[in-house]
Amino acid sequence: MPNMQKEKHPMPTRSPEERRSTFGEVALGYDEETAVSEAERCLNCRNPLCVKGCPVMIRIPDFIRKVSLRDFEGAYAIIHESSSLPAVCGRVCPQESQCEKTCVRGLKGESVAIGRLERFVADRHNAASSGQIEERTRISNGHKVAVVGSGPSGLTCAGDLNRLGYDVTIFEALHVAGGVLVYGIPEFRLPKEIVRKETDELIRNGVEIKTNTVIGKTMTVDELMEDGYEAVFIGSGAGLPRFMSIPGENLKGVYSANEYLTRVNLMKAYLPESDTPIRRAKRVAVVGGGNVAMDAARSALRMGAEEVSIVYRRGEAELPARKEEVEHAREEGIVFRLLTNPKEILGDEHGEVRAISCVEMELGEPDASGRRRPVEKKDSLFTLDVDTVIMAIGTSPNPLIKSTTEGLVTEKWGGIVADEDGRTSRPGVFAGGDAVTGAATVILAMGAGKKAAAAIDAYIKEKNAK
Ligand code: FAD
Ligand code: SF4
């Protein structure tokens, strides 16, 4: 008999008071008894709608059934068929708008906590195999493939091709592999150790990762092909920050969220012994309402700021960040200044940020995105005293690869044009993840890497059969 408890088991978390001053992980994970009891809430539906909601179609009821039977390794094996980064996805996937949104238990209560169960299974597997990453015996098929970027799309594409026997080299611009998983998403949401384990596993299995190598500068896509790589996958993400083009954005104390988070996460500014330069801000305004804005705000708080505000031009219902992250941010004391839009950043005589002037907004008619358009309220200008402003209003793909790869067609906004399977306008050049879609999600980037790996395999086989 299933457990008919209406609510999902809550996720144990650190207290908000403790969280404000530590980068330790906020969510602590289910223990075995809680996981089994949660798994027993699953009805094992004959037509499991949850699977349709999952972008990589994990066999959700099957893995959950294994959890209820305490066959945790069996559960891991099922998840791993479809997702190569389950410990990452269990933590950062927006399950509430994917698998859990369509779960039938959600009709008369709360959905099954699919994401929490995925995390439990992955963590348990990682703990059991700690330090002893299983090496596969791989027989090289003698064909070389280059992967540009080591984010979730690149790692997934490289892992799949490696399993098929290709000699894969990942070229990564930064000094550490992992993409946004290491430079963007903070330690308190995704411990970097988890990502390192995944990249170590790839290396052990024969994938080469060349860090500090910027494709388009150190060497071009064409040079890679001249070097014997038969195909190139571009998974270079969307790391170019957008700004608002308002006066004052060049003042000292204005960061893009990417720069701020990179300094805090990748450059470890949060560690007392770190010598990474970062502003010791007291009053911070973070402009934007997505996950990136929440991460920047919560990081600023942990870096010692006294007041951190989210400044967002729409309302609560329109906040694009995950609900759970908004709740966590609120619990920690982040101030939400909704229906508020910045007009100018004001500086002092030394060129340092001293305030941000904003207007109040109200919601008008829906715009092209279907969301109600924010409209400025008359005579509502006001000033907020801040010493730091972090812009988190979106990013786009960096134009470097486009500008150095002849014949590579891109959208006006910079996204690489690619078909469903990642084929671009250049034969042998494939692309996927944020570089194609613009800023999206980890699971979609992984899905794109997977599809491209299959297409690259088919392309090389066909080419060599001629
Ligand atoms: P990326 O992860 O961006 O990786 C691209 C890599 O390519 C980078 O390492 C970059 O250095 C490298 N690169 C770029 N150009 C070159 C070059 N010319 N040569 C060599 N290497 C290059 N998604 C979720 O699902 N859930 C979340 O909670 C979530 N939170 C987020 C929080 C933040 C702060 C950010 C920034 C994003 C978040 N996302 C989240 C989005 C998610 O992380 C991305 O959609 C995903 O990482 C995209 O993967 P990718 O492989 O396409 O690119
Ligand atoms: Fe279980 Fe919900 Fe999926 Fe049905 S829809 S199989 S109850 S997780």
Side-chain angles (χ1 to χ4, degrees):
M1 270 291 283
N3 171 352
M4 292 314 288
Q5 178 185 317
K6 279 199 168 155
E7 288 82 30
K8 52 176 94 162
H9 290 75
M11 174 62 106
T13 51
R14 271 179 219 275
S15 74
E17 297 69 42
E18 188 190 350
R19 272 158 33 198
R20 288 172 64 97
S21 57
T22 172
F23 276 78
E25 197 173 7
V26 170
L28 301 171
Y30 281 167
D31 60 20
E32 186 173 321
E33 291 318 311
T34 313
V36 171
S37 173
E38 182 64 30
E40 286 167 350
R41 292 186 63 235
C42 174
L43 304 177
N44 218 329
C45 307
R46 204 173 289 160
N47 176 21
L49 297 178
C50 54
V51 178
K52 293 192 180 124
C54 170
V56 294
M57 308 271 281
I58 293 176
R59 291 197 283 126
I60 293 168
D62 297 344
F63 103 72
I64 293 183
R65 173 127 182 87
K66 294 274 185 200
V67 175
S68 68
L69 297 172
R70 295 180 195 266
D71 175 5
F72 305 121
E73 276 306 300
Y76 183 82
I78 291 174
I79 301 173
H80 208 256
E81 286 167 9
S82 319
S83 163
S84 48
L85 304 170
V88 173
C89 294
R91 285 172 166 79
V92 305
C93 264
Q95 292 99 6
E96 65 282 359
S97 56
Q98 300 177 346
C99 54
E100 293 184 14
K101 189 178 177 190
T102 46
C103 166
V104 291
R105 288 298 310 259
L107 294 175
K108 285 191 185 160
E110 287 185 340
S111 66
V112 175
I114 303 169
R116 292 173 189 173
L117 289 174
E118 180 183 21
R119 170 188 162 151
F120 167 79
V121 168
D123 285 356
R124 191 164 166 119
H125 167 84
N126 286 345
S129 63
S130 106
Q132 310 152 19
I133 296 158
E134 204 186 305
E135 279 179 65
R136 282 184 277 111
T137 10
R138 189 186 70 93
I139 300 165
S140 163
N141 65 11
H143 298 285
K144 291 203 309 178
V145 179
V147 169
V148 181
S150 63
S153 67
L155 293 177
T156 306
C157 186
D160 280 15
L161 287 169
N162 171 264
R163 242 170 267 136
L164 292 168
Y166 290 92
D167 295 333
V168 185
T169 308
I170 300 180
F171 297 90
E172 168 53 54
L174 296 172
H175 65 283
V176 182
V180 169
L181 307 180
V182 292
Y183 83 72
I185 304 180
E187 184 76 18
F188 57 81
R189 274 213 298 136
L190 177 63
K192 302 307 151 220
E193 182 57 22
I194 290 170
V195 186
R196 197 182 56 78
K197 239 184 143 179
E198 303 289 353
T199 50
D200 280 358
E201 184 161 356
L202 280 186
I203 294 169
R204 294 268 200 123
N205 285 323
V207 172
E208 192 182 353
I209 305 185
K210 287 195 176 160
T211 50
N212 295 315
T213 310
V214 184
I215 299 304
K217 269 214 158 94
T218 322
M219 59 198 306
T220 63
V221 167
D222 287 294
E223 283 165 349
L224 287 173
M225 294 185 115
E226 281 159 23
D227 228 22
Y229 292 99
E230 293 180 54
V232 178
F233 173 76
I234 303 171
S236 49
L240 188 70
R242 275 190 220 131
F243 285 88
M244 290 185 75
S245 300
I246 55 171
E249 280 182 306
N250 56 352
L251 287 167
K252 284 181 243 164
V254 180
Y255 288 93
S256 70
N258 263 21
E259 180 190 344
Y260 187 78
L261 288 168
T262 301
R263 284 176 187 268
V264 174
N265 291 319
L266 187 70
M267 312 302 291
K268 306 253 178 277
Y270 69 90
L271 295 176
E273 65 272 23
S274 162
D275 53 10
T276 300
I278 191 140
R279 211 172 166 83
R280 296 289 158 184
K282 292 265 173 287
R283 293 174 62 84
V284 182
V286 178
V287 182
N291 286 323
V292 181
M294 298 306 139
D295 283 346
R298 297 171 71 199
S299 296
L301 195 75
R302 285 160 171 79
M303 291 298 290
E306 285 158 14
E307 185 181 294
V308 182
S309 304
I310 289 279
V311 175
Y312 180 56
R313 65 195 182 125
R314 298 182 200 250
E316 175 90 25
E318 288 78 23
L319 277 169
R322 294 187 64 191
K323 205 165 149 251
E324 186 177 287
E325 302 308 328
V326 174
E327 276 165 17
H328 283 163
R330 259 213 184 94
E331 284 167 9
E332 288 163 16
I334 304 289
V335 181
F336 282 74
R337 297 180 195 273
L338 303 175
L339 292 167
T340 303
N341 202 29
K343 293 299 265 186
E344 182 175 0
I345 303 167
L346 308 168
D348 63 13
E349 65 278 23
H350 307 292
E352 307 258 356
V353 172
R354 68 171 175 82
I356 184 166
S357 72
C358 304
V359 282
E360 289 175 26
M361 310 292 280
E362 54 196 352
L363 293 178
E365 292 302 308
D367 61 16
S369 72
R371 295 182 300 174
R372 291 175 66 194
R373 186 195 301 275
V375 186
E376 215 172 292
K377 263 195 201 169
K378 240 178 144 193
D379 301 327
S380 63
L381 195 70
F382 69 99
T383 303
L384 199 62
D385 289 339
V386 292
D387 56 37
T388 303
V389 174
I390 302 175
M391 288 291 179
I393 55 164
T395 54
S396 47
N398 190 302
L400 182 62
I401 291 186
K402 176 209 154 149
S403 64
T404 54
T405 313
E406 213 173 300
L408 186 69
V409 176
T410 58
E411 304 280 1
K412 251 197 197 141
W413 51 268
I416 298 172
V417 174
D419 71 9
E420 265 266 293
D421 297 316
R423 292 181 203 89
T424 69
S425 53
R426 281 279 309 264
V429 180
F430 297 74
D434 285 6
V436 168
T437 56
T441 61
V442 170
I443 193 77
L444 289 175
M446 282 174 51
K450 228 177 176 29
K451 279 191 181 163
I456 289 171
D457 180 42
Y459 166 79
I460 293 179
K461 279 189 178 137
E462 194 185 317
K463 195 170 78 115
N464 288 288
K466 279 180 188 162

